[in-house]
Amino acid sequence: MIIELAKNYGFCFGVKRAIKKAEQIKNAASIGPLIHNNEEISRLQNDFNVKTIQSINDLSDEKKAIIRTHGITKQDLALLKKRDIEIYDATCPFVTKPQQLCEKMSAEGYEIVIFGDENHPEVKGVKSYVSTKAYVILDEKELYNIKLPSKIAVVSQTTKKVENFMKIVNYLILKCKEVRVFNTICDATFKNQEAILELSQKSDVMVVVGGKNSANTKQLFLIAKQHCKDSYLIETQEELKAEWFKDKKHCGVSAGASTPDWIIKKVLERLEEFNRENS
Amino acid sequence: MIIELAKNYGFCFGVKRAIKKAEQIKNAASIGPLIHNNEEISRLQNDFNVKTIQSINDLSDEKKAIIRTHGITKQDLALLKKRDIEIYDATCPFVTKPQQLCEKMSAEGYEIVIFGDENHPEVKGVKSYVSTKAYVILDEKELYNIKLPSKIAVVSQTTKKVENFMKIVNYLILKCKEVRVFNTICDATFKNQEAILELSQKSDVMVVVGGKNSANTKQLFLIAKQHCKDSYLIETQEELKAEWFKDKKHCGVSAGASTPDWIIKKVLERLEEFNRENS
């Protein structure tokens, strides 16, 4: 049986980079969890003494602070800089970009529409760089009763859908003379989806690794299932069953965006074992 | 019978302004016809000695040149300035705007998408202000095989539909990191349509004055007809028939964008005559 990993799977570029940084830095406090995966958080704590704190107020005698992929607010960064602490910035470059754009555009006098969840840490961070007026919205309808300025800039939370971003832009085009659109949506999630689509079309069995409550993992599983009826969603290699792979020729493997590589590796190892047992 | 003019009708702001200028200037040559209405062109020729030439090459011993609402190219303007002639610029301010934007945006390094008809004089003029690269398109499909830059600016011919403009913008959002959208569409045509819609709903007879081959006049007539079955499209007051207005209470009047006020005035006078005859 051929075992093939999807072209894109698991952690996005920014998360991979942040975890690698955390492993190198060691003995540090991450401001907010580095990743939405408890096993990975425990591993970083146990193997690298990287602990997770909820906010900069929770800092006590730590010598090193890690800023996670979502970034932090400009105000928190300023407070952090005043402390006697080394700062390691693992803000995803795709998040730094809208932060910088908000700072630059407001310096040029633009008010800014941010398409995103008001309470999401990434959005809080991005919004904190706006020195004019920021409108954080999830739907263009939220702008209906607002008197908009003649020129406006628009950015997006990195994980949002471009179709909804377009709806907001289209509304603004009707209302403002100039709309400066920065498409800051990251296509990592979309790339995982594209890759599993392609892989599931040539596989006769599919394994998707990820949290059973993870929205993006479930989405991957749904896509796989559409093209390969024998698709399975698992959280660890222990759930794999030999019978699933009996008489199968091509096994595709993918993983949700919060699934660490070492979990995927164990899954692949177990699949190789099945191959050996069957030969 | 109440006779009521639509809130918006006939010439747009830019054309009204250009004709007023031509009447004041007198003894001048207009580069291209000032308006798509032969009776009005004749009136300006006969009453104000304003003649129409096709291009600056047709200038001979004229002392005054009028630039019409569509504007001219930057190159033609430069050539005109070299001649011993007074220049009267009646370029519509809504057209001057995209010209200026093209000049400014290309100075800032943006390539520019112009939504419009490549052969339309307005578009030729606007495009001539681009010093980087200009893409003149009517449909986003024309961009499919083009390698677009990471940042781009977009303007529109003033008379285009915003729905199609949005389609182009939406495509660009997927392809470019920054899309600087300038909605340079003028809503004059749309305002005439909105006004006739409102008026036809409260009228029991409608008169639309304009060329029977004029697309925008026919559009007005269609809207009127939908809400008031006794709607009539006429080119001059001579076509009006007394029987159309028998027992009518509310007569709405509108006119296409190329219909001069003096023709509309004659229509109104004839309608008043019917009123007097019936009283």
Side-chain angles (χ1 to χ4, degrees):
Chain A
M1 178 177 76
I2 296 164
I3 298 163
E4 185 178 346
L5 256 173
K7 272 188 196 131
N8 292 284
Y9 64 92
F11 286 176
C12 65
F13 155 78
V15 168
K16 275 184 193 154
R17 181 171 162 272
I19 287 173
K20 206 172 166 186
K21 274 199 183 192
E23 291 174 350
Q24 290 165 345
I25 295 158
K26 298 186 188 78
N27 314 310
S30 165
I31 305 157
L34 266 172
I35 170 85
H36 297 288
N37 180 296
N38 292 333
E39 296 189 64
E40 182 67 358
I41 296 290
S42 303
R43 187 186 69 90
L44 291 169
Q45 169 85 63
N46 298 335
D47 298 0
F48 300 94
N49 192 29
V50 171
K51 69 179 213 178
T52 300
I53 58 171
Q54 290 314 307
S55 80
I56 59 165
N57 301 327
D58 299 332
L59 281 170
S60 54
D61 56 351
E62 287 85 1
K63 293 280 163 275
K64 299 172 182 175
I66 300 174
I67 300 172
R68 63 178 169 169
T69 53
H70 295 327
I72 56 175
T73 65
K74 192 179 175 178
Q75 294 73 27
D76 274 359
L77 184 61
L79 290 171
L80 208 53
K81 283 180 176 170
K82 280 187 191 157
R83 295 181 77 118
D84 179 27
I85 197 163
E86 282 176 68
I87 304 167
Y88 295 89
D89 189 357
T91 307
C92 175
F94 296 127
V95 174
T96 309
K97 188 76 194 168
Q99 288 178 349
Q100 290 169 339
L101 286 168
C102 281
E103 189 156 44
K104 187 165 177 268
M105 286 305 105
S106 29
E108 291 183 25
Y110 290 85
E111 295 188 3
I112 295 167
V113 169
I114 301 170
F115 168 41
D117 300 300
E118 204 167 4
N119 296 317
H120 192 287
E122 175 189 321
V123 173
K124 284 183 183 170
V126 168
K127 185 187 173 189
S128 72
Y129 284 86
V130 179
S131 58
T132 52
K133 196 165 180 178
Y135 308 89
V136 180
I137 59 163
L138 281 169
D139 191 296
E140 71 277 11
K141 290 184 190 75
E142 295 170 58
L143 297 171
Y144 283 1
N145 293 319
I146 291 171
K147 191 170 156 29
L148 292 163
S150 69
K151 62 179 200 174
I152 204 153
V154 200
V155 300
S156 175
Q157 186 179 339
T158 53
T159 47
K160 289 285 160 197
K161 282 196 183 153
V162 75
E163 292 76 14
N164 299 330
F165 185 60
M166 282 170 176
K167 282 185 194 162
I168 291 169
V169 170
N170 288 347
Y171 178 76
L172 291 171
I173 289 175
L174 294 175
K175 300 292 168 183
C176 309
K177 282 284 160 201
E178 180 186 353
V179 187
R180 207 159 166 178
V181 187
F182 297 94
N183 181 355
T184 54
I185 295 170
C186 171
D187 58 0
T189 310
F190 187 65
K191 276 190 179 162
N192 284 3
Q193 291 179 1
E194 261 191 345
I196 203 166
L197 172 66
E198 196 195 322
L199 183 57
S200 60
Q201 283 168 336
K202 61 177 177 181
S203 303
D204 52 3
V205 59
M206 287 289 301
V207 174
V208 182
V209 194
K212 281 172 185 158
N213 295 320
S214 148
N216 86 81
T217 305
K218 278 190 277 186
Q219 186 59 35
L220 290 179
F221 177 63
L222 272 177
I223 295 171
K225 192 88 184 164
Q226 270 171 17
H227 299 94
C228 171
K229 69 176 172 43
D230 292 326
S231 292
Y232 302 95
L233 172 55
I234 58 166
E235 292 194 340
T236 72
Q237 78 286 350
E238 283 156 20
E239 295 170 57
L240 290 169
K241 292 199 174 104
E243 66 209 55
W244 294 350
F245 307 97
K246 211 185 148 211
D247 301 328
K248 297 296 187 190
K249 302 225 171 344
H250 202 123
C251 172
V253 179
S254 183
S258 317
T259 311
D261 272 353
W262 57 271
I263 293 186
I264 303 165
K265 205 178 155 213
K266 283 187 182 172
V267 168
L268 293 173
E269 283 166 0
R270 189 81 190 93
L271 289 171
E272 293 292 355
E273 272 173 38
F274 290 149
N275 256 354
R276 277 194 297 277
E277 287 161 15
N278 285 335
S279 66
Chain B
M1 179 177 72
I2 295 165
I3 298 164
E4 184 177 348
L5 254 174
K7 269 185 200 138
N8 291 285
Y9 64 91
F11 286 175
C12 66
F13 156 78
V15 168
K16 274 184 193 153
R17 181 171 163 270
I19 286 173
K20 204 171 168 188
K21 274 199 181 189
E23 291 174 353
Q24 289 165 343
I25 295 158
K26 298 188 187 79
N27 313 309
S30 165
I31 305 158
L34 266 173
I35 172 84
H36 296 289
N37 180 295
N38 292 333
E39 294 189 65
E40 182 67 357
I41 295 291
S42 302
R43 185 186 70 89
L44 290 169
Q45 168 86 62
N46 298 336
D47 296 1
F48 300 93
N49 193 28
V50 172
K51 69 180 212 176
T52 300
I53 58 171
Q54 289 315 306
S55 80
I56 59 165
N57 300 326
D58 298 333
L59 282 170
S60 51
D61 55 350
E62 287 84 0
K63 293 277 164 278
K64 299 173 182 177
I66 300 173
I67 300 173
R68 63 178 168 169
T69 53
H70 295 326
I72 56 173
T73 66
K74 192 178 176 181
Q75 294 73 28
D76 274 359
L77 183 61
L79 288 171
L80 207 54
K81 283 180 176 171
K82 280 186 190 158
R83 296 182 75 121
D84 179 27
I85 197 163
E86 282 177 66
I87 305 167
Y88 295 90
D89 190 357
T91 306
C92 175
F94 296 127
V95 174
T96 308
K97 188 76 194 169
Q99 288 177 350
Q100 289 169 339
L101 287 168
C102 281
E103 190 156 42
K104 187 163 176 270
M105 287 302 107
S106 30
E108 290 184 25
Y110 291 85
E111 295 186 3
I112 295 165
V113 168
I114 302 169
F115 168 41
D117 300 300
E118 204 167 3
N119 296 316
H120 192 286
E122 174 188 321
V123 173
K124 284 183 184 172
V126 168
K127 186 188 173 188
S128 72
Y129 283 86
V130 179
S131 57
T132 52
K133 198 164 176 177
Y135 307 89
V136 179
I137 58 163
L138 281 169
D139 191 297
E140 71 277 11
K141 290 185 189 74
E142 295 171 58
L143 296 170
Y144 282 1
N145 294 317
I146 290 171
K147 190 169 158 27
L148 293 162
S150 68
K151 62 179 201 173
I152 203 153
V154 201
V155 300
S156 175
Q157 186 178 337
T158 53
T159 47
K160 290 285 161 197
K161 281 193 182 155
V162 76
E163 292 77 13
N164 299 329
F165 185 59
M166 283 171 176
K167 282 186 194 164
I168 291 169
V169 171
N170 288 347
Y171 178 76
L172 291 171
I173 289 175
L174 294 176
K175 299 294 168 183
C176 309
K177 283 285 159 200
E178 180 186 354
V179 187
R180 208 159 165 178
V181 187
F182 298 96
N183 181 356
T184 54
I185 295 170
C186 170
D187 58 359
T189 309
F190 187 65
K191 275 189 178 162
N192 283 3
Q193 292 178 1
E194 262 191 344
I196 203 167
L197 171 67
E198 195 196 322
L199 183 57
S200 59
Q201 284 168 336
K202 61 177 178 181
S203 302
D204 53 2
V205 59
M206 287 289 298
V207 174
V208 182
V209 193
K212 280 171 185 158
N213 294 319
S214 149
N216 87 79
T217 306
K218 277 190 279 186
Q219 186 58 34
L220 290 179
F221 177 62
L222 273 176
I223 296 171
K225 190 90 186 166
Q226 270 171 17
H227 299 95
C228 172
K229 68 178 172 45
D230 293 325
S231 291
Y232 302 95
L233 171 54
I234 58 167
E235 292 193 339
T236 72
Q237 77 286 354
E238 283 156 19
E239 295 170 56
L240 290 169
K241 293 198 174 103
E243 66 210 55
W244 296 348
F245 307 96
K246 209 185 151 209
D247 300 329
K248 297 296 184 188
K249 303 227 169 338
H250 202 123
C251 173
V253 179
S254 183
S258 317
T259 310
D261 272 353
W262 56 270
I263 292 185
I264 303 166
K265 203 176 156 214
K266 284 186 181 173
V267 168
L268 293 173
E269 284 168 359
R270 189 79 191 92
L271 289 170
E272 294 290 356
E273 272 173 39
F274 289 149
N275 257 351
R276 279 194 296 276
E277 287 161 15
N278 286 335
S279 66

